[in-house]
Amino acid sequence: MKNSENILLKDFDLVPFGSFSDTDYKEAILDGIDKARKEIDEITQNTQAPDFENTIATLDFAGQHLDRVTSAFFNINSAETNETIQNIAQEVSPLLSEFSNDITLNEALFKRVKAVYDSRETLDLNREQQVLLEKKYKGFARNGANLPEEKKARLREIDTQLSKLALTFGENILAETNKFELHITEEKDLAGLPESTIESAAQTAEEKNKEGWIFTLEYPSYIPFMKYAENRELRRQMAVAFGAKGFHGDKLDNQDNVLKIVNLRHERANLLGYKTHAHFVLEERMAKSPENVNRFLEDLLAKAKPAAEREFKQLEHFAKERDGIEQLEKWDSAYYSEKLKQQLFELDDELLKPYFKLENVIDGVFTVAKKLYGLRFVEVFDVPKYHKDVKTYQVFDEMDNFMAIFYADFHPRPGKRGGAWMTQFKGQFKKDGQNERPHVSNVCNFTKPTPSKPSLLTFNEVTTLFHEFGHGLHGMLANTTYPSLSGPSVFWDFVELPSQILENWCYEPEALELFAKHYETGETIPMVLIDKIKKAANFQEGMQTLRQLSFGILDMSWHGADPSGITDVKAHELAAFENTKLYPDVAENCMSVSFSHIFQGGYSSGYYSYKWAEVLDADAFAYFKENGIFNGEVARKFRDHILSQGGTEDPMVLYKRFRGKEPNPEALLKRAGLVK
């Protein structure tokens, strides 16, 4: 019997956080599955001949209540999880996977979809409808609709196992992150660390009822420690702990999970008629094939590697001259890079942080959005929140039309996974004459305020905030009819364009002057510091590019070939990294077992997308630069042809409509300083 008090069983607009218990999620998800099944049954039992409206459009809008509940649930499982939530996730994920299979393997439903698809030439469909029809048909054909029954049964088994393995993988990494702490009791071991970092560590120790200072593997604690701590042995301990997450041979070890995931993905691809998982995935990407991705990565590698090797030699020489370091290790990388950057550019992150108070940076990104797209953000206090740290805003356009709800969640805590991401509690779509507006969320892990200082961001954290907000704009400015084509529902190697292009404004004086103000004096960041930021923008760009390429190559090594012969995760990883290796290997470390992007997130066979989108963003921003970074006409084109269009057309068609031509890869190489 249903719990009449469970508010999640009813339709809602804003997720009613605070008005239900965690245990209510399970009932609401099960109820949502039942409702969605009935909606699918109505389509298959419709006695009228299948057409676009009664089959394709109706299918796209089916299951909306389930989508709302699961969006809330899985967002919370990432941003504010606990044991109850994790247990429910393990229970409902296989059920959701089964339900998804029930749709794609539903013969009666596929028959109707195929009938509409086969008659597409005779239908008077607009471009968005044509794309939706093709997407729906491919969604069935690519996911087993044409398989014989025994293979359909195996596909269901695989998908159920994969859903549980991804959850377990992520839970293990979160548990590993929360488990480790470096407890320092002697002040001499804090040498080199900034005052704000020390204060945060003291605050963490106090929260844990311990004396001294505690450093963790959360980024706001880990990064400054690796960058500034003079004690090399303690840096080693931190680096080894960070790199050993999921690699301890205990119950939180992810090696077996990695091997199971890649083999199941490969078997699934083979079942569906594809050579590898990468062949399956990339068919629906701009890159189209593993061969194109590998060629792209190899071309960039050829250009970046000589620069990376020069930069590494320079760093080795610097460390030896400065401190007599004979062998540069991974735990030396951030420390000596920071010292070298200070020497070459007289630029120190600690020098910049006072100008990047979190609240000012938020105001800054809002101002940039206003100058580019006419958006106005108003903080509101009546939107239910899942945690007190979350800030909420209503978003309006230049005509005062309501555009979106925006949630901002910026500080780490034990129930929150690491990293930064954009997500939605509700997507945009048009139905019954209404343009339903989205509820968009940015989640990050930035330095917390301390008793004596507000949250002051590193420059890297500033670019991260802009990056995620760029994804947010893709959601907020969406203006399509169908939910599955709206906002960031685009090819995975196109989705990073709106996020990565916005990072460029962080380097421009015209933008920095809007928000980079000293938190104590109110002084605008001096031009001399802006010049240094710009000059340092390409510092160790070769090494950074090599690092990103190594991740893309590792991803393709797992997914672009038959993995059944791989028995040793670490050995496989070392082979994949061979051409991109600069530092000696650390025996206790393995990246694959904590590579959440490809084993828990949606980036399998897609990590190259970051570099792919950089080609697009460098070329697109060059267009802004030619005309002024706040040029209204260029911004309007980017909004109208990219941000608002979602997945309603092929990404290259949209890009050329904005830019007037295909992207020029030289723009990226020039910006990175890899070619003159």
Side-chain angles (χ1 to χ4, degrees):
M1 198 168 98
K2 289 181 187 175
N3 173 13
S4 59
E5 300 298 307
N6 187 347
I7 196 169
L8 292 179
L9 297 176
K10 305 176 177 72
D11 288 335
F12 55 85
D13 187 44
L14 293 166
V15 181
F17 294 118
S19 300
F20 59 90
S21 68
D22 290 342
T23 54
D24 288 337
Y25 276 119
K26 182 179 175 183
E27 183 187 30
I29 290 170
L30 295 177
D31 182 64
I33 291 173
D34 285 343
K35 284 177 181 167
R37 284 191 194 284
K38 289 186 178 112
E39 290 170 347
I40 297 299
D41 288 344
E42 283 176 19
I43 298 172
T44 58
Q45 291 163 14
N46 189 335
T47 54
Q48 294 181 327
D51 61 27
F52 181 84
E53 282 303 322
N54 71 22
T55 301
I56 306 302
T58 305
L59 177 59
D60 205 52
F61 285 105
Q64 281 197 306
H65 188 79
L66 177 63
D67 287 344
R68 295 299 313 280
V69 175
T70 53
S71 291
F73 175 73
F74 285 107
N75 287 336
I76 296 310
N77 193 35
S78 290
E80 182 59 11
T81 195
N82 55 48
E83 194 175 342
T84 301
I85 294 284
Q86 290 180 353
N87 288 338
I88 293 171
Q90 288 286 356
E91 288 181 65
V92 301
S93 288
L95 301 177
L96 289 165
S97 176
E98 183 184 354
F99 172 64
S100 176
N101 285 142
D102 285 346
I103 294 175
T104 54
L105 302 178
N106 184 321
E107 285 187 30
L109 185 58
F110 180 52
K111 192 175 177 184
R112 289 185 69 90
V113 170
K114 189 173 184 302
V116 182
Y117 183 76
D118 288 344
S119 65
R120 63 192 180 281
E121 300 297 334
T122 65
L123 305 175
D124 185 22
L125 301 180
N126 63 33
R127 184 62 197 151
E128 186 176 352
Q129 291 170 328
Q130 290 171 28
V131 169
L132 183 69
L133 173 56
E134 188 168 323
K135 182 176 177 177
K136 289 297 176 199
Y137 176 75
K138 278 187 175 179
F140 282 87
R142 277 170 46 81
N143 286 287
N146 293 313
L147 291 178
E149 283 309 313
E150 70 276 7
K151 288 189 175 180
K152 285 182 180 178
R154 179 58 187 149
L155 190 73
R156 286 176 180 276
E157 290 171 7
I158 290 171
D159 287 345
T160 297
Q161 289 176 62
L162 282 171
S163 69
K164 296 189 83 162
L165 285 165
L167 277 175
T168 301
F169 184 98
E171 286 169 7
N172 288 351
I173 297 308
L174 181 62
E176 287 272 57
T177 303
N178 289 338
K179 187 172 74 169
F180 176 85
E181 58 183 48
L182 179 69
H183 187 195
I184 290 178
T185 54
E186 296 195 37
E187 202 161 344
K188 66 179 175 60
D189 290 331
L190 303 171
L193 290 169
E195 181 192 329
S196 57
T197 302
I198 293 170
E199 193 175 356
S200 290
Q203 195 174 340
T204 303
E206 192 180 320
E207 287 166 4
K208 293 175 181 270
N209 297 314
K210 293 185 179 178
E211 295 295 318
W213 304 266
I214 286 179
F215 295 89
T216 71
L217 299 181
E218 289 172 342
Y219 282 113
S221 179
Y222 177 75
I223 298 293
F225 193 91
M226 298 308 297
K227 199 179 271 190
Y228 296 108
E230 290 176 10
N231 188 320
R232 194 182 188 209
E233 169 55 23
L234 292 180
R235 289 204 312 271
R236 187 194 71 78
Q237 288 179 35
M238 284 287 275
V240 169
F242 190 88
K245 288 180 291 187
F247 194 58
H248 290 119
D250 57 8
K251 66 176 185 176
L252 298 178
D253 192 285
N254 270 337
Q255 291 175 85
D256 195 42
N257 291 328
V258 165
L259 293 176
K260 284 177 179 171
I261 288 169
V262 294
N263 279 288
L264 285 168
R265 284 172 175 170
H266 184 72
E267 184 187 348
R268 187 182 195 279
N270 288 171
L271 261 180
L272 295 167
Y274 294 86
K275 186 178 176 185
T276 69
H277 179 68
H279 284 85
F280 170 76
V281 168
L282 293 166
E283 185 179 70
E284 291 291 282
R285 299 286 191 267
M286 290 179 80
K288 302 299 181 194
S289 73
E291 293 75 22
N292 287 342
V293 170
N294 289 329
R295 196 177 306 118
F296 170 73
L297 294 172
E298 285 161 14
D299 286 350
L300 262 183
L301 180 60
K303 293 179 173 81
K305 193 170 180 178
E309 289 173 339
R310 282 195 305 274
E311 291 162 2
F312 187 67
K313 280 195 179 97
Q314 180 190 34
L315 192 63
E316 281 185 312
H317 178 73
F318 174 75
K320 187 169 183 178
E321 287 283 302
R322 187 182 190 276
D323 291 330
I325 301 295
E326 291 295 334
Q327 175 64 67
L328 209 58
E329 302 283 357
K330 287 183 179 176
W331 47 86
D332 298 318
S333 173
Y335 181 78
Y336 286 106
S337 291
E338 183 63 23
K339 294 288 180 283
L340 180 58
K341 187 170 80 172
Q342 289 172 18
Q343 180 176 296
L344 293 176
F345 304 102
E346 297 175 334
L347 188 66
D348 178 355
D349 254 344
E350 288 303 303
L351 200 64
L352 296 176
K353 279 173 72 173
Y355 294 97
F356 296 124
K357 180 182 170 185
L358 174 60
E359 289 76 9
N360 291 348
V361 179
I362 295 169
D363 287 345
V365 83
F366 288 172
T367 305
V368 168
K370 181 169 189 177
K371 288 173 78 73
L372 288 171
Y373 309 117
L375 298 181
R376 182 168 59 86
F377 293 76
V378 179
E379 187 168 8
V380 289
F381 303 93
D382 55 352
V383 171
K385 305 173 184 183
Y386 56 87
H387 192 275
K388 62 182 175 56
D389 285 353
V390 179
K391 292 177 180 291
T392 50
Y393 303 84
Q394 287 186 333
V395 188
F396 300 91
D397 69 7
E398 61 270 39
M399 305 296 290
D400 270 349
N401 297 308
F402 171 70
M403 296 298 289
I405 295 290
F406 178 57
Y407 298 76
D409 179 3
F410 287 140
H411 299 302
R413 51 184 175 264
K416 188 180 189 181
R417 70 174 169 88
W421 62 94
M422 169 268 186
T423 187
Q424 297 189 126
F425 290 110
K426 175 188 176 186
Q428 177 273 335
F429 58 89
K430 295 174 186 172
K431 193 176 185 186
D432 301 329
Q434 280 287 108
N435 190 338
E436 293 287 338
R437 300 312 303 168
H439 302 167
V440 173
S441 175
N442 276 178
V443 187
C444 303
N445 283 277
F446 297 145
T447 311
K448 283 182 173 178
T450 66
S452 69
K453 284 189 178 68
S455 175
L456 301 176
L457 305 191
T458 64
F459 187 70
N460 186 55
E461 288 176 325
V462 174
T463 60
T464 297
L465 191 151
F466 270 69
H467 178 104
E468 298 307 333
F469 192 77
H471 281 309
L473 289 172
H474 206 180
M476 293 177 222
L477 292 171
N479 191 31
T480 64
T481 301
Y482 303 106
S484 69
L485 300 180
S486 181
S489 301
V490 298
F491 282 180
W492 213 268
D493 43 12
F494 192 60
V495 79
E496 295 298 334
L497 170 59
S499 56
Q500 289 182 186
I501 192 172
L502 202 65
E503 291 182 41
N504 290 281
W505 272 261
C506 300
Y507 296 89
E508 297 298 319
E510 205 179 333
L512 284 169
E513 287 167 356
L514 298 172
F515 66 90
K517 300 180 189 300
H518 198 285
Y519 79 100
E520 289 176 314
T521 66
E523 173 203 14
T524 300
I525 190 168
M527 185 56 71
V528 65
L529 280 181
I530 295 178
D531 288 341
K532 288 176 180 179
I533 289 171
K534 286 188 77 79
K535 280 178 186 163
N538 288 337
F539 176 62
Q540 294 186 340
E541 184 64 39
M543 287 170 65
Q544 293 299 329
T545 300
L546 199 67
R547 181 173 178 270
Q548 281 289 94
L549 292 174
S550 75
F551 298 162
I553 291 165
L554 179 63
D555 173 25
M556 293 304 290
S557 78
W558 281 118
H559 296 111
D562 182 352
S564 58
I566 303 169
T567 55
D568 187 324
V569 173
K570 171 81 175 187
H572 174 78
E573 178 173 298
L574 284 174
F577 282 156
E578 187 57 40
N579 281 338
T580 57
K581 180 180 165 187
L582 293 173
Y583 292 91
D585 178 56
V586 180
E588 304 97 317
N589 288 180
C590 180
M591 186 200 168
S592 297
V593 292
S594 61
F595 199 172
S596 298
H597 271 77
I598 67 170
F599 292 118
Q600 183 192 7
Y603 278 85
S604 61
S605 305
Y607 200 85
Y608 75 92
S609 301
Y610 285 103
K611 277 292 163 199
W612 184 278
E614 270 190 59
V615 172
L616 301 175
D617 104 65
D619 184 71
F621 191 65
Y623 189 28
F624 273 98
K625 287 277 282 184
E626 287 161 18
N627 296 279
I629 65 165
F630 290 114
N631 181 279
E633 178 62 17
V634 179
R636 183 193 60 75
K637 282 185 175 181
F638 195 74
R639 173 179 176 159
D640 291 353
H641 300 309
I642 306 289
L643 295 175
S644 68
Q645 292 301 300
T648 57
E649 289 206 54
D650 183 275
M652 192 55 80
V653 171
L654 293 176
Y655 188 84
K656 287 196 286 189
R657 205 168 283 156
F658 155 68
R659 187 68 166 99
K661 62 185 182 68
E662 289 198 1
N664 177 7
E666 288 291 305
L668 170 62
L669 299 171
K670 281 180 183 170
R671 185 178 70 182
L674 298 175
V675 298
K676 298 296 180 193

